[in-house]
Amino acid sequence: MPADTVSVTGWGRTAPTAARLVRPRSYEEAAAAVRECGARGGIARGLGRAYGDAAQNAGGAVLDMTGLDRIHAIDADGGTVLCDAGVSLHRLMEVLLPLGWFVPVTPGTRYVTVGGAIGADIHGKNHHGSGSFARHVLSFELLTADGEIRTVGRGTPLFDATSGGMGLTGVILKATVRLQPVETSLMSVDTERAADLDDLMARLTATDHRYRYSVAWIDLLARGTSMGRSVLTRGDHAPLDSLPPRARRHPLAFRPSQFPAAPAFVPEGLLGRSTVGLFNELWYRKAPRARAGELQKISTFFHPLDGVPHWNRIYGRGGFVQYQFVVGHGQEEALRRIVERISGHGCPSFLAVLKRFGEGDPGWLSFPMPGWTLALDIPAGLPGLSAFLDELDEEVAGAGGRVYLAKDSRLRPELLGDMYPRLAEFRVLRAELDPRGVFTSDLSRRLNLQELS
């Protein structure tokens, strides 16, 4: 099978490493690629939307799984789909929405594969009610290091180790996923401003249960009495009878908006404190104080940045760090301290969002836990960024929280066990399943995910 040596990065475009990129087109070719990984092993990769180094493997093999993209079966009555791991959520929406079904969980981009969605156990705006992606997976087929293809069902240790296991238990080949019924491809959206962080948390706590989807954009440059001011957006799939007559002609049409791609070259420092501060001011002021029942496209509500191809270029050649953490309910004071520190540090983030998580899922390295999660993007070249994020990690770990491995690119390994209490079980199962360390990545080496302690 042909393979090219290429430079690979995550979506944040930091820390590129060279690897042999292999593109299997069948399960047999995938098995052959695993057998031929070599001493540096291999890792599966989807559409490359992990922000950090989870789908990189310096000196080894990276298996591009996007060639395995067949939708095998759709149960339009029962609401399930059986598809290859390389099928994207975008493709599922194209096929399933006209049939009255939607993916059960989607993150901020629809350009992730089903295999990646399971491996990172992705979450979305509906976690407070629907959990993460793996909760809706009935079973999957996993190619393990011994060349065996195993059918893995819910409630088994291998299912829980693979869900959120960052590709380190094997290569997911296909999966059966339970779907969400919808009457239209539009969203009914309520939008309101929150004056500060306490106001935002009070609104989310009091009313989140009324909405299927909920998220808040938060101004992390605001200080003083405005610290944490936000724009809260919540909604649900619009019922057919809420659509105007013209929209009812094609209620399930899926037509995502598309804009010109970000330029290949962007001047360094474009997203500094001044420009992001101006953007944040304008974004907050243009938001309605309160607006209910606005109809929006699915792409507008869930994936606004997908309309700008290669939007990650806007951070310049140095790339950016996406930092996401969660702290539990009862740790609101820790969240306030962290937001205050970010604001005081002047981190120029215009893509900062706060959500409430519901009950966590059983994945041993799954990120969500009941509580508050904050995600922000930061230009990688910001002075003092590494030391500052190390301090935030300590604060998060001290509050019993954790950072998201699918977005991480710089966590220190000594904090991992505090953040993920089932890490030891994961390492033991991995050692039994893959004693030669066939499945490995830059992330796993950096965090010693394969080391028994």
Side-chain angles (χ1 to χ4, degrees):
M1 189 186 327
D4 302 317
T5 298
V6 298
S7 179
V8 181
T9 73
W11 191 245
R13 303 176 75 204
T14 59
T17 55
R20 289 184 299 106
L21 189 66
V22 186
R23 300 177 177 87
R25 293 295 184 268
S26 67
Y27 298 164
E28 291 76 18
E29 287 189 359
V34 168
R35 289 194 299 269
E36 297 165 6
C37 276
R40 294 286 286 182
I43 194 71
R45 181 181 176 94
L47 288 166
R49 293 305 177 104
Y51 285 84
D53 52 4
Q56 298 175 217
N57 184 25
V62 170
L63 280 63
D64 179 346
M65 298 299 293
T66 56
L68 292 171
D69 59 354
R70 180 182 170 194
I71 298 176
H72 294 272
I74 299 171
D75 181 351
D77 295 322
T80 61
V81 61
L82 172 63
C83 64
D84 284 343
V87 173
S88 70
L89 300 192
H90 173 82
R91 178 61 180 152
L92 287 182
M93 292 177 198
E94 287 183 320
V95 172
L96 296 171
L97 270 169
L99 302 177
W101 296 99
F102 189 63
V103 295
V105 171
T106 177
T109 175
R110 60 185 179 274
Y111 294 112
V112 297
T113 62
V114 169
I118 297 170
D121 197 14
I122 60 170
H123 58 272
K125 297 179 175 76
N126 60 342
H127 190 277
H128 60 283
S130 300
S132 49
F133 194 86
R135 183 182 298 187
H136 306 273
V137 176
L138 303 181
S139 65
F140 53 79
E141 292 196 357
L142 185 71
L143 172 64
T144 49
D146 56 8
E148 182 180 346
I149 297 177
R150 309 180 187 216
T151 299
V152 183
R154 295 184 56 79
T156 63
L158 187 51
F159 188 101
D160 294 343
T162 303
S163 304
M166 307 310 296
L168 298 174
T169 61
V171 178
I172 299 169
L173 297 176
K174 62 182 176 182
T176 300
V177 182
R178 186 173 56 240
L179 304 169
Q180 168 69 37
V182 295
E183 294 183 12
T184 75
S185 60
L186 294 174
M187 305 296 296
S188 177
V189 181
D190 294 353
T191 305
E192 60 192 82
R193 290 190 213 167
D196 54 37
L197 182 61
D198 287 339
D199 182 26
L200 173 62
M201 289 194 291
R203 291 171 189 247
L204 285 168
T205 301
T207 60
D208 242 13
H209 64 280
R210 302 177 190 168
Y211 296 89
R212 184 181 299 274
Y213 302 101
S214 179
V215 67
W217 169 87
I218 182 169
D219 181 359
L220 290 177
L221 287 177
R223 301 187 185 188
T225 58
S226 296
M227 187 190 77
R229 66 178 181 175
S230 310
V231 179
L232 179 55
T233 307
R234 295 176 288 189
D236 205 340
H237 299 278
L240 183 61
D241 60 12
S242 71
L243 269 56
R246 185 174 181 180
R248 294 186 196 183
R249 298 175 191 171
H250 305 286
L252 291 166
F254 180 53
R255 301 188 184 98
S257 302
Q258 193 73 13
F259 301 97
F265 173 77
V266 176
E268 298 298 323
L270 178 65
L271 296 180
R273 293 183 181 94
S274 298
T275 53
V276 172
L278 177 60
F279 170 86
N280 286 1
E281 183 70 26
L282 294 173
W283 190 259
Y284 181 76
R285 290 189 177 277
K286 88 173 190 65
R289 293 186 182 276
R291 180 175 60 201
E294 180 191 13
L295 293 177
Q296 293 184 4
K297 290 182 178 180
I298 274 175
S299 58
T300 301
F301 182 76
F302 288 107
H303 316 118
L305 287 173
D306 281 348
V308 183
H310 307 293
W311 65 261
N312 56 341
R313 293 174 180 170
I314 65 175
Y315 293 87
R317 293 179 180 175
F320 69 103
V321 172
Q322 176 87 182
Y323 186 70
Q324 184 169 4
F325 67 89
V326 58
V327 294
H329 294 304
Q331 292 294 333
E332 286 77 11
E333 191 53 43
L335 177 63
R336 288 188 193 94
R337 287 196 304 270
I338 293 171
V339 170
E340 188 171 16
R341 293 183 71 169
I342 294 171
S343 173
H345 196 76
C347 291
S349 175
F350 76 100
L351 292 175
V353 295
L354 183 77
K355 296 192 290 279
R356 268 178 96 241
F357 278 160
E359 290 300 317
D361 291 288
W364 294 349
L365 297 185
S366 184
F367 168 67
M369 57 183 279
W372 303 93
T373 180
L374 177 65
L376 60 148
D377 64 298
I378 314 169
L382 187 71
L385 179 61
S386 179
F388 177 66
L389 292 181
D390 283 347
E391 293 172 3
L392 294 191
D393 290 341
E394 296 281 356
E395 185 100 37
V396 169
R402 59 183 63 141
V403 300
Y404 191 15
L405 297 184
K407 295 185 176 180
D408 177 58
S409 58
R410 26 73 43 211
L411 179 68
R412 303 197 315 276
E414 57 266 27
L415 291 178
L416 193 64
D418 295 333
M419 294 180 172
Y420 290 90
R422 303 196 72 174
L423 175 62
E425 294 173 75
F426 177 84
R427 285 170 166 163
V428 169
L429 183 143
R430 237 204 59 80
E432 294 173 352
L433 193 66
D434 183 10
R436 296 183 295 116
V438 170
F439 297 112
T440 189
S441 66
D442 290 354
L443 173 82
S444 70
R445 280 189 287 266
R446 176 170 57 82
L447 293 179
N448 299 327
L449 278 167
Q450 295 158 260
E451 297 297 326
L452 291 173
S453 56

Coordinates of all heavy atoms in Angstrom, one line a residue, residues 46-113:
G46 N -8.8 11.0 11.3 CA -10.0 11.3 10.5 C -9.8 12.5 9.7 O -8.9 12.6 8.8
L47 N -10.5 13.5 9.9 CA -10.5 14.8 9.2 C -9.5 15.8 9.8 O -9.5 17.0 9.4 CB -11.9 15.4 9.0 CG -12.7 14.6 8.0 CD1 -14.2 15.0 8.1 CD2 -12.2 14.8 6.6
G48 N -8.8 15.4 10.8 CA -7.7 16.3 11.4 C -8.3 17.4 12.2 O -7.6 18.5 12.3
R49 N -9.4 17.3 12.9 CA -10.0 18.4 13.7 C -9.6 18.3 15.1 O -10.1 19.2 15.9 CB -11.5 18.4 13.5 CG -11.9 18.8 12.0 CD -11.3 20.1 11.6 NE -11.6 20.5 10.2 CZ -12.5 21.4 9.9 NH1 -13.1 22.1 10.8 NH2 -12.7 21.6 8.6
A50 N -8.9 17.3 15.6 CA -8.3 17.4 16.9 C -7.3 18.5 17.0 O -6.5 18.7 16.1 CB -7.6 16.1 17.3
Y51 N -7.4 19.4 17.9 CA -6.6 20.6 17.9 C -5.2 20.4 18.2 O -4.3 21.1 17.7 CB -7.2 21.6 18.9 CG -8.5 22.3 18.5 CD1 -9.7 21.6 18.7 CD2 -8.5 23.5 17.9 CE1 -10.9 22.2 18.3 CE2 -9.7 24.1 17.5 CZ -10.9 23.5 17.7 OH -12.0 24.1 17.3
G52 N -4.8 19.4 19.0 CA -3.5 19.2 19.4 C -2.8 18.0 18.6 O -3.0 17.9 17.4
D53 N -2.1 17.1 19.3 CA -1.3 16.1 18.7 C -1.9 14.7 18.8 O -1.1 13.7 18.7 CB 0.1 16.2 19.3 CG 0.2 16.1 20.8 OD1 -0.9 16.0 21.4 OD2 1.2 16.2 21.4
A54 N -3.2 14.6 19.0 CA -3.8 13.3 19.2 C -3.7 12.4 18.0 O -3.7 11.2 18.1 CB -5.2 13.4 19.7
A55 N -3.7 13.0 16.8 CA -3.7 12.2 15.6 C -2.3 12.4 14.8 O -2.3 12.4 13.6 CB -4.8 12.6 14.7
Q56 N -1.3 12.6 15.6 CA 0.1 12.7 15.0 C 0.9 11.6 15.6 O 0.6 11.0 16.6 CB 0.7 14.1 15.4 CG 0.0 15.3 14.9 CD 0.6 16.6 15.4 OE1 -0.1 17.5 15.7 NE2 2.0 16.6 15.6
N57 N 2.0 11.2 14.8 CA 2.8 10.1 15.3 C 4.2 10.2 14.7 O 4.5 9.7 13.6 CB 2.2 8.7 14.9 CG 3.0 7.6 15.4 OD1 3.7 7.7 16.4 ND2 2.9 6.4 14.7
A58 N 5.0 11.0 15.3 CA 6.4 11.3 14.8 C 7.2 10.1 14.5 O 7.4 9.2 15.4 CB 7.1 12.2 15.8
G59 N 7.6 10.0 13.2 CA 8.5 8.8 12.8 C 7.7 7.5 12.6 O 8.3 6.5 12.2
G60 N 6.4 7.5 12.8 CA 5.6 6.3 12.6 C 4.6 6.4 11.5 O 4.8 7.2 10.6
A61 N 3.5 5.7 11.7 CA 2.5 5.7 10.6 C 1.2 6.4 11.2 O 0.9 6.4 12.3 CB 2.1 4.3 10.3
V62 N 0.6 7.1 10.2 CA -0.7 7.7 10.5 C -1.7 7.1 9.5 O -1.4 7.2 8.3 CB -0.7 9.2 10.4 CG1 -2.1 9.8 10.5 CG2 0.1 9.8 11.6
L63 N -2.8 6.5 9.9 CA -3.7 5.9 9.0 C -4.9 6.9 8.7 O -5.7 7.2 9.6 CB -4.3 4.6 9.7 CG -3.4 3.3 9.6 CD1 -2.1 3.5 10.3 CD2 -4.2 2.1 10.1
D64 N -4.9 7.4 7.5 CA -6.0 8.3 7.1 C -7.2 7.4 6.8 O -7.3 6.7 5.8 CB -5.5 9.0 5.9 CG -6.6 10.0 5.3 OD1 -7.8 9.9 5.7 OD2 -6.3 10.8 4.5
M65 N -8.2 7.5 7.7 CA -9.4 6.6 7.6 C -10.5 7.2 6.7 O -11.6 6.5 6.6 CB -9.9 6.3 9.0 CG -8.9 5.5 9.9 SD -8.4 3.9 9.2 CE -9.9 3.0 9.3
T66 N -10.3 8.3 6.1 CA -11.4 8.9 5.4 C -11.8 8.2 4.1 O -12.9 8.4 3.6 CB -11.1 10.4 5.1 OG1 -9.9 10.5 4.3 CG2 -10.9 11.2 6.3
G67 N -10.9 7.3 3.7 CA -11.3 6.5 2.5 C -12.3 5.4 2.8 O -12.9 4.8 1.9
L68 N -12.5 5.1 4.1 CA -13.5 4.1 4.5 C -14.7 4.9 4.9 O -14.9 5.3 6.1 CB -13.0 3.3 5.7 CG -11.9 2.3 5.4 CD1 -11.3 1.7 6.6 CD2 -12.4 1.2 4.4
D69 N -15.6 5.2 3.9 CA -16.7 6.2 4.1 C -18.0 5.7 3.6 O -18.8 6.5 3.1 CB -16.3 7.5 3.5 CG -16.0 7.4 2.0 OD1 -16.1 6.2 1.5 OD2 -15.9 8.4 1.3
R70 N -18.3 4.4 3.7 CA -19.5 3.9 3.2 C -20.6 3.9 4.3 O -20.3 3.5 5.5 CB -19.3 2.4 2.8 CG -20.6 1.8 2.2 CD -20.3 0.3 1.8 NE -21.5 -0.4 1.5 CZ -21.6 -1.7 1.4 NH1 -20.5 -2.4 1.5 NH2 -22.7 -2.3 1.1
I71 N -21.8 4.3 4.0 CA -23.0 4.1 4.8 C -23.6 2.8 4.4 O -24.1 2.7 3.3 CB -23.9 5.3 4.7 CG1 -23.3 6.6 5.1 CG2 -25.2 5.1 5.5 CD1 -24.1 7.9 4.9
H72 N -23.6 1.9 5.4 CA -24.0 0.5 5.0 C -25.5 0.3 5.1 O -26.1 -0.3 4.3 CB -23.3 -0.5 6.0 CG -21.9 -0.6 5.8 ND1 -21.2 -1.4 5.0 CD2 -20.9 0.1 6.5 CE1 -19.9 -1.3 5.0 NE2 -19.7 -0.3 5.9
A73 N -26.1 0.9 6.1 CA -27.6 0.7 6.3 C -28.2 1.8 7.2 O -27.5 2.3 8.1 CB -27.8 -0.7 7.0
I74 N -29.4 2.2 6.8 CA -30.2 3.2 7.6 C -31.5 2.5 8.0 O -32.2 2.1 7.1 CB -30.4 4.5 6.8 CG1 -29.1 5.1 6.4 CG2 -31.3 5.4 7.6 CD1 -29.2 6.3 5.5
D75 N -31.8 2.5 9.3 CA -33.1 2.0 9.7 C -33.9 3.3 9.9 O -33.9 3.9 11.0 CB -33.0 1.3 11.0 CG -34.3 0.8 11.5 OD1 -35.3 1.1 11.0 OD2 -34.3 0.0 12.5
A76 N -34.7 3.7 8.9 CA -35.5 4.9 8.9 C -36.7 4.8 9.9 O -37.2 5.8 10.2 CB -35.9 5.3 7.5
D77 N -37.0 3.6 10.3 CA -38.1 3.4 11.2 C -37.6 3.5 12.6 O -38.2 4.1 13.5 CB -38.9 2.1 11.0 CG -39.6 2.1 9.6 OD1 -40.1 3.2 9.2 OD2 -39.6 1.1 8.9
G78 N -36.5 2.7 12.9 CA -36.0 2.6 14.2 C -35.0 3.7 14.6 O -34.7 4.0 15.8
G79 N -34.5 4.5 13.6 CA -33.6 5.6 13.8 C -32.2 5.2 14.2 O -31.6 5.7 15.2
T80 N -31.6 4.3 13.4 CA -30.2 4.0 13.6 C -29.5 4.0 12.2 O -30.1 3.9 11.2 CB -30.0 2.6 14.2 OG1 -30.5 1.6 13.3 CG2 -30.6 2.5 15.6
V81 N -28.2 4.2 12.2 CA -27.4 4.1 11.0 C -26.1 3.2 11.3 O -25.5 3.3 12.4 CB -26.9 5.5 10.5 CG1 -26.1 6.2 11.6 CG2 -26.2 5.4 9.2
L82 N -25.8 2.4 10.3 CA -24.6 1.6 10.4 C -23.6 2.2 9.3 O -24.0 2.2 8.1 CB -24.8 0.1 10.1 CG -23.6 -0.8 9.9 CD1 -22.8 -0.8 11.2 CD2 -24.1 -2.2 9.5
C83 N -22.5 2.7 9.7 CA -21.6 3.3 8.7 C -20.1 3.1 9.1 O -19.8 2.7 10.2 CB -21.9 4.8 8.7 SG -21.5 5.7 10.2
D84 N -19.3 3.3 8.1 CA -17.8 3.2 8.3 C -17.4 4.3 9.2 O -18.0 5.4 9.3 CB -17.1 3.3 7.0 CG -17.1 2.0 6.2 OD1 -17.5 0.9 6.8 OD2 -16.9 2.0 5.0
A85 N -16.2 4.1 9.8 CA -15.7 5.1 10.8 C -15.2 6.4 10.1 O -15.1 7.4 10.7 CB -14.5 4.5 11.5
G86 N -14.9 6.3 8.7 CA -14.5 7.5 8.0 C -15.6 8.4 7.5 O -15.3 9.4 6.9
V87 N -16.8 8.0 7.7 CA -17.9 8.9 7.3 C -18.0 10.1 8.2 O -17.9 10.0 9.5 CB -19.3 8.1 7.4 CG1 -20.5 9.0 7.2 CG2 -19.3 6.9 6.5
S88 N -18.1 11.3 7.6 CA -18.2 12.5 8.4 C -19.6 12.8 8.9 O -20.6 12.3 8.3 CB -17.7 13.7 7.6 OG -18.6 14.0 6.6
L89 N -19.7 13.6 10.0 CA -21.0 14.0 10.4 C -21.7 14.9 9.3 O -22.9 14.9 9.2 CB -20.9 14.8 11.7 CG -20.3 14.1 12.9 CD1 -20.5 14.9 14.2 CD2 -20.8 12.7 13.1
H90 N -20.9 15.6 8.6 CA -21.5 16.4 7.5 C -22.2 15.4 6.5 O -23.3 15.7 6.1 CB -20.4 17.1 6.7 CG -20.8 17.8 5.5 ND1 -21.4 19.0 5.5 CD2 -20.7 17.4 4.2 CE1 -21.7 19.4 4.2 NE2 -21.3 18.4 3.4
R91 N -21.5 14.4 6.1 CA -22.2 13.4 5.2 C -23.4 12.8 5.8 O -24.4 12.6 5.1 CB -21.1 12.3 4.8 CG -21.7 11.2 3.9 CD -22.1 11.8 2.6 NE -22.6 10.8 1.6 CZ -23.5 11.0 0.7 NH1 -24.0 12.2 0.5 NH2 -23.9 10.0 -0.1
L92 N -23.4 12.4 7.1 CA -24.6 11.9 7.7 C -25.7 12.9 7.7 O -26.9 12.5 7.4 CB -24.2 11.5 9.2 CG -23.4 10.3 9.4 CD1 -23.2 10.0 10.9 CD2 -24.0 9.0 8.7
M93 N -25.4 14.2 7.9 CA -26.5 15.2 7.8 C -27.1 15.2 6.4 O -28.3 15.4 6.3 CB -26.0 16.5 8.3 CG -25.6 16.6 9.8 SD -24.9 18.2 10.2 CE -24.1 17.7 11.8
E94 N -26.2 15.2 5.4 CA -26.7 15.3 4.0 C -27.7 14.1 3.7 O -28.7 14.3 3.1 CB -25.5 15.2 3.1 CG -24.7 16.4 3.0 CD -23.6 16.3 1.9 OE1 -23.0 15.2 1.8 OE2 -23.3 17.3 1.2
V95 N -27.4 12.9 4.2 CA -28.1 11.7 3.9 C -29.3 11.6 4.9 O -30.4 11.2 4.4 CB -27.2 10.5 4.0 CG1 -28.1 9.2 3.9 CG2 -26.2 10.5 2.9
L96 N -29.2 11.9 6.1 CA -30.2 11.6 7.1 C -31.3 12.7 7.3 O -32.4 12.4 7.6 CB -29.5 11.3 8.5 CG -28.6 10.1 8.5 CD1 -27.9 10.1 9.8 CD2 -29.4 8.8 8.3
L97 N -30.9 13.9 7.1 CA -31.9 15.0 7.4 C -33.1 14.9 6.4 O -34.2 15.0 6.9 CB -31.2 16.4 7.2 CG -30.7 16.9 8.5 CD1 -29.8 18.2 8.2 CD2 -31.8 17.3 9.5
P98 N -32.9 14.6 5.1 CA -34.1 14.4 4.3 C -35.0 13.3 4.8 O -36.2 13.2 4.4 CB -33.5 14.1 2.9 CG -32.2 14.7 2.9 CD -31.7 14.5 4.3
L99 N -34.5 12.4 5.6 CA -35.3 11.2 6.1 C -35.9 11.6 7.5 O -36.6 10.7 8.1 CB -34.4 10.0 6.2 CG -33.8 9.5 4.9 CD1 -32.9 8.3 5.2 CD2 -34.8 9.2 3.9
G100 N -35.6 12.8 8.0 CA -36.2 13.2 9.3 C -35.3 12.7 10.5 O -35.9 12.6 11.6
W101 N -34.0 12.6 10.3 CA -33.1 12.2 11.4 C -31.9 13.1 11.4 O -31.5 13.6 10.4 CB -32.7 10.7 11.2 CG -33.8 9.7 11.3 CD1 -34.4 9.1 10.2 CD2 -34.4 9.3 12.5 NE1 -35.4 8.3 10.7 CE2 -35.5 8.4 12.1 CE3 -34.2 9.5 13.8 CZ2 -36.3 7.7 13.0 CZ3 -35.1 8.9 14.7 CH2 -36.1 8.0 14.3
F102 N -31.4 13.3 12.6 CA -30.2 14.1 12.8 C -29.2 13.4 13.7 O -29.6 12.5 14.4 CB -30.7 15.4 13.5 CG -29.6 16.5 13.6 CD1 -29.0 17.0 12.5 CD2 -29.1 16.9 14.9 CE1 -28.1 18.0 12.6 CE2 -28.2 17.9 15.0 CZ -27.6 18.5 13.8
V103 N -28.0 13.7 13.6 CA -26.9 13.1 14.4 C -27.2 13.4 15.9 O -27.7 14.5 16.2 CB -25.5 13.6 14.1 CG1 -25.2 13.1 12.7 CG2 -25.4 15.1 14.2
P104 N -27.0 12.5 16.8 CA -27.4 12.7 18.2 C -26.6 13.7 18.9 O -27.0 14.4 19.9 CB -27.2 11.3 18.8 CG -26.1 10.7 18.0 CD -26.4 11.2 16.6
V105 N -25.3 13.9 18.5 CA -24.4 14.9 19.2 C -23.5 15.4 18.1 O -23.0 14.7 17.3 CB -23.5 14.2 20.3 CG1 -22.4 15.1 20.7 CG2 -24.4 13.7 21.4
T106 N -23.3 16.7 18.1 CA -22.4 17.3 17.1 C -21.6 18.4 17.9 O -22.1 19.2 18.6 CB -23.1 17.9 15.9 OG1 -22.1 18.6 15.1 CG2 -24.1 18.9 16.3
P107 N -20.3 18.4 17.7 CA -19.4 19.5 18.3 C -19.6 20.8 17.4 O -20.5 20.9 16.6 CB -18.0 18.9 18.2 CG -18.0 18.1 17.0 CD -19.4 17.5 16.9
G108 N -18.7 21.7 17.6 CA -18.7 22.9 16.8 C -18.3 22.8 15.4 O -18.4 23.8 14.7
T109 N -18.0 21.6 14.9 CA -17.7 21.4 13.5 C -18.4 20.1 13.1 O -18.4 19.1 13.9 CB -16.2 21.4 13.2 OG1 -16.1 21.0 11.8 CG2 -15.5 20.3 14.0
R110 N -18.9 20.1 11.9 CA -19.5 18.8 11.4 C -18.5 18.0 10.6 O -18.8 16.9 10.1 CB -20.8 19.1 10.5 CG -20.5 19.9 9.3 CD -21.9 20.3 8.6 NE -21.6 21.1 7.5 CZ -21.6 22.5 7.5 NH1 -21.7 23.1 8.6 NH2 -21.4 23.2 6.4
Y111 N -17.3 18.6 10.4 CA -16.2 17.9 9.7 C -15.4 17.1 10.6 O -14.2 17.2 10.7 CB -15.4 18.9 8.9 CG -16.2 19.6 7.8 CD1 -16.5 20.9 7.9 CD2 -16.7 18.8 6.7 CE1 -17.3 21.5 6.9 CE2 -17.5 19.4 5.8 CZ -17.8 20.8 5.9 OH -18.6 21.4 4.9
V112 N -16.0 16.2 11.3 CA -15.3 15.1 12.1 C -15.9 13.8 11.7 O -17.1 13.7 11.2 CB -15.5 15.3 13.6 CG1 -14.9 16.6 14.1 CG2 -17.0 15.3 14.0
T113 N -15.1 12.7 11.8 CA -15.6 11.4 11.4 C -16.3 10.7 12.5 O -16.1 11.1 13.7 CB -14.4 10.5 10.9 OG1 -13.5 10.4 11.9 CG2 -13.7 11.2 9.7

